[in-house]
Amino acid sequence: MSKGILEVCVDSVESAVAAFEGGADRIELCSDLLVGGVTPSETLFHMIRKYTDLKIRILLRPRFGDFCYSFYELEMMREDVQKFAEMGVEGIVTGILTPTGNLDIEQMKNLISCAGKVDVALHRAFDVCKNPLETMESAISLGIKTILTSGQKNSAWEGRRLLKELQEKSGNRIEILAGAGVDARVIEKLYEETGITSYHLSGKIKKESKMEFRNPQVSMGLPGFDEYEIWQTSKERVENARKVLDKKFKCHLP
């Protein structure tokens, strides 16, 4: 590896283009980031392929909420992973937990089998599992390539102790991808604290809707959400993160 890895989580073509222009190595593609992200559409995938050369990992998450899925949801996930694998994605990002907070080994095996040769990453279901070190070993044994984690805290900086432990104990057997509250400033500090060289961010900024007429009497979304605010990835925020990561990684090369 000649540089650190910068992954940007996006839910629109505009955000993917900004990530591409800002220097991201790859994207995690989803829909509805404001609720943590769910499985994106095929059309969104094709549009991003059309306008960028980025490596694309697809989020496989059938709904908002926990990671303990029903029979029907699991069937949907298996069909989706096969579909996206056939479409040529570079990776699938997913996670399934048992009611007791452990990684659901059998269901994960099923998804990995459906993915074929496509890399599989374990997303932040990891951050709500019962035993993170045990779960990391399970993920490694399954052949999972990446764990996206905040160190089981609300932000990666708050979770830096566990992130450091995961990085050390992984022994380069799996990529530890630090995410949640990550930006250029946090990367600079986390790199020194943990030695992690892979980072995940959205780089989002708030933009005003183009709507001139606005009806204040009607709310179409969830409470607390403003229909006239649009969140998109900022090219500049991605560029800043790229510069910091490249500088830090270069300084520590042997």
Side-chain angles (χ1 to χ4, degrees):
M1 185 188 297
S2 60
K3 64 176 182 177
I5 296 296
L6 186 64
E7 177 180 279
V8 180
C9 190
V10 306
D11 60 1
S12 69
V13 180
E14 291 85 353
S15 288
V17 170
F20 177 63
E21 293 177 346
D25 295 291
R26 66 186 184 225
I27 58 171
E28 179 191 311
L29 179 60
C30 66
S31 291
D32 297 330
L33 257 179
L34 285 178
V35 294
V38 294
T39 305
S41 70
E42 295 177 49
T43 301
L44 182 56
F45 169 78
H46 287 306
M47 289 288 285
I48 291 172
R49 273 282 193 251
K50 180 179 179 180
Y51 290 105
T52 81
D53 293 327
L54 284 167
K55 293 180 179 178
I56 301 175
R57 288 180 165 184
I58 295 287
L59 176 65
L60 192 69
R61 187 183 183 206
R63 58 160 169 78
F64 165 77
D66 65 32
F67 305 104
C68 185
Y69 297 116
S70 72
F71 170 85
Y72 303 107
E73 289 168 335
L74 291 168
E75 185 174 356
M76 288 170 57
M77 293 171 78
R78 290 192 295 271
E79 291 195 14
D80 278 339
V81 75
Q82 286 180 317
K83 173 184 66 179
F84 281 113
E86 290 168 1
M87 289 164 58
V89 300
E90 280 74 29
I92 299 293
V93 184
T94 194
I96 306 171
L97 299 180
T98 66
T100 56
N102 297 310
L103 194 64
D104 192 324
I105 302 297
E106 290 308 310
Q107 295 300 339
M108 288 299 295
K109 281 181 179 178
N110 289 337
L111 289 184
I112 291 167
S113 177
C114 292
K117 295 182 180 179
V118 174
D119 286 350
V120 174
L122 175 60
H123 61 33
R124 292 189 63 208
F126 180 88
D127 284 324
V128 291
C129 74
K130 183 165 61 175
N131 188 320
L133 294 178
E134 182 179 297
T135 299
M136 180 181 73
E137 293 301 328
S138 295
I140 292 169
S141 70
L142 287 169
I144 290 171
K145 302 299 182 183
T146 300
I147 294 174
L148 168 61
T149 174
S150 62
Q152 296 205 323
K153 300 291 185 180
N154 284 328
S155 73
W157 179 246
E158 292 176 88
R160 61 192 180 276
R161 289 198 181 104
L162 178 57
L163 286 173
K164 181 178 181 180
E165 186 176 11
L166 292 168
Q167 179 71 0
E168 290 173 348
K169 293 188 176 179
S170 68
N172 296 318
R173 294 173 295 158
I174 195 167
E175 177 188 42
I176 302 299
L177 178 64
V182 169
D183 57 18
R185 180 184 58 84
V186 171
I187 289 173
E188 189 163 18
K189 297 190 298 181
L190 271 179
Y191 190 102
E192 298 298 333
E193 289 272 346
T194 68
I196 288 175
T197 60
S198 296
Y199 292 89
H200 171 101
L201 57 89
S202 67
K204 290 276 190 283
I205 56 172
K206 182 171 65 176
K207 293 187 174 183
E208 277 290 310
S209 165
K210 294 179 181 178
M211 287 293 297
E212 296 176 5
F213 172 75
R214 304 184 181 189
N215 184 351
Q217 305 302 317
V218 180
S219 176
M220 302 296 288
L222 294 171
F225 286 83
D226 187 340
E227 287 85 6
Y228 302 107
E229 292 178 353
I230 298 171
W231 292 84
Q232 290 180 359
T233 296
S234 160
K235 172 186 172 183
E236 290 72 24
R237 290 192 176 187
V238 177
E239 282 181 336
N240 291 340
R242 173 87 272 162
K243 288 175 184 176
V244 168
L245 185 54
D246 287 350
K247 179 181 177 182
K248 285 292 180 182
F249 194 80
K250 183 178 180 180
C251 289
H252 288 77
L253 284 174

